[in-house]
Amino acid sequence: MNRTFDTSWALFAKYQMAIHNEEPDECDQSSFSNFLVNSPLKPWKPSDGPSQGYGSFHQQYWLDGRLLAVGVIDILPRCISSVYFFYDPEFHFLTLGTYGSLREIAFCRTLHHSAPSLQYYYMGFYIHSCPKMRYKGAFSPSFLLCPEVYSWHPLESCLPLLERTKYCRFNPDPKVHDPDQLVGIGDVSVLFLNKAMAYSTFRTLNPANQHQEEVTKYASLVGNKLSRRMLLILMF
């Protein structure tokens, strides 16, 4: 990637300006790096994983020495996550976005042989009302995640619901709830004065400055399980 950074960035800028009508200063090298190069994932290469390890990668598509497209993916222990795909607008007629998805699916199948737990392809958000997103629905079988209880449902059963409203619950059983929903904030792990502690302990030590609203909002977003594994930094 380092050897072809300028070429990749130039293609990204060309794509953003032509397809998404961005101004040049909105897709400069710094924007490109922050968006698609500087990944929060740290490379990890376990002995039982794929040969290139886990982390963020750029897959480049070249033709006769010319860079036509770049697919940005995250390789994770259970899936390949498609982060972004950009291409040369001059080759729009080749439907390179669809081709890139097919190549990433094939890549996922290849990696599955060396890392059996890696068996899913995640295409990211599906926005039914956005024409540019509709191509994702052409792949089968496809599943959408219920935004309320986080269960997976076949795309075919979700489409009639999305035709009626932009936001909807896919799980038809009203009795089903998110198993990781917030039930209390006392056990939320926080970091205060460089010491890890439960929020209930922090509240005892700081009765006048409890951060209850902040902690409640945080725990409701990350869920019970992660709120106990991660540390929320609290300050006066």
Side-chain angles (χ1 to χ4, degrees):
M1 175 63 188
N2 290 334
R3 297 193 305 271
T4 59
F5 177 88
D6 289 341
T7 305
S8 188
W9 162 69
L11 180 62
F12 168 78
K14 183 178 181 180
Y15 172 83
Q16 294 295 114
M17 288 187 287
I19 304 299
H20 296 292
N21 299 315
E22 289 192 357
E23 298 296 329
D25 59 346
E26 295 180 286
C27 46
D28 57 14
Q29 287 194 2
S30 177
S31 300
F32 174 60
S33 294
N34 292 332
F35 181 30
L36 296 175
V37 179
N38 301 329
S39 171
L41 296 180
K42 292 186 178 180
W44 179 41
K45 198 172 184 179
S47 58
D48 59 347
S51 59
Q52 72 283 340
Y54 300 110
S56 297
F57 299 86
H58 284 213
Q59 291 187 312
Q60 298 181 336
Y61 298 80
W62 294 79
L63 177 65
D64 295 333
R66 180 173 179 178
L67 181 63
L68 297 190
V70 176
V72 184
I73 61 173
D74 290 338
I75 301 179
L76 306 171
R78 291 176 57 83
C79 72
I80 284 182
S81 176
S82 180
V83 177
Y84 203 67
F85 191 90
F86 56 95
Y87 57 85
D88 190 329
E90 294 180 31
F91 293 85
H92 179 75
F93 62 93
L94 293 177
T95 60
L96 290 170
T98 299
Y99 175 74
S101 294
L102 291 172
R103 293 293 301 175
E104 289 169 3
I105 291 172
F107 186 42
C108 185
R109 289 177 171 175
T110 299
L111 295 185
H112 175 68
H113 293 300
S114 57
S117 64
L118 200 163
Q119 53 186 314
Y120 301 106
Y121 176 57
Y122 178 60
M123 299 186 74
F125 293 115
Y126 174 78
I127 303 175
H128 189 63
S129 59
C130 178
K132 293 180 181 178
M133 291 279 189
R134 290 293 182 95
Y135 78 96
K136 296 182 180 182
F139 296 90
S140 180
S142 292
F143 299 83
L144 295 182
L145 188 68
C146 177
E148 295 186 4
V149 302
Y150 303 105
S151 54
W152 292 97
H153 301 269
L155 177 67
E156 294 78 12
S157 66
C158 300
L159 292 181
L161 300 173
L162 291 172
E163 288 288 348
R164 294 197 296 266
T165 177
K166 292 182 179 180
Y167 175 85
C168 54
R169 173 191 172 108
F170 299 139
N171 194 307
D173 188 349
K175 297 180 180 179
V176 176
H177 301 284
D178 174 17
D180 197 35
Q181 66 182 344
L182 180 65
V183 294
I185 62 174
D187 292 332
V188 172
S189 299
V190 302
L191 185 68
F192 179 65
L193 298 178
N194 294 323
K195 292 184 179 180
M197 63 186 73
Y199 175 66
S200 57
T201 302
F202 170 85
R203 190 166 49 194
T204 301
L205 298 174
N206 302 274
N209 193 1
Q210 296 188 3
H211 296 267
Q212 184 168 341
E213 182 177 349
E214 176 187 353
V215 175
T216 300
K217 182 177 181 180
Y218 160 78
S220 66
L221 290 173
V222 304
N224 276 324
K225 185 183 296 184
L226 285 180
S227 70
R228 286 153 177 75
R229 295 177 59 188
M230 300 191 302
L231 288 173
L232 173 65
I233 300 176
L234 296 181
M235 303 173 65
F236 283 117

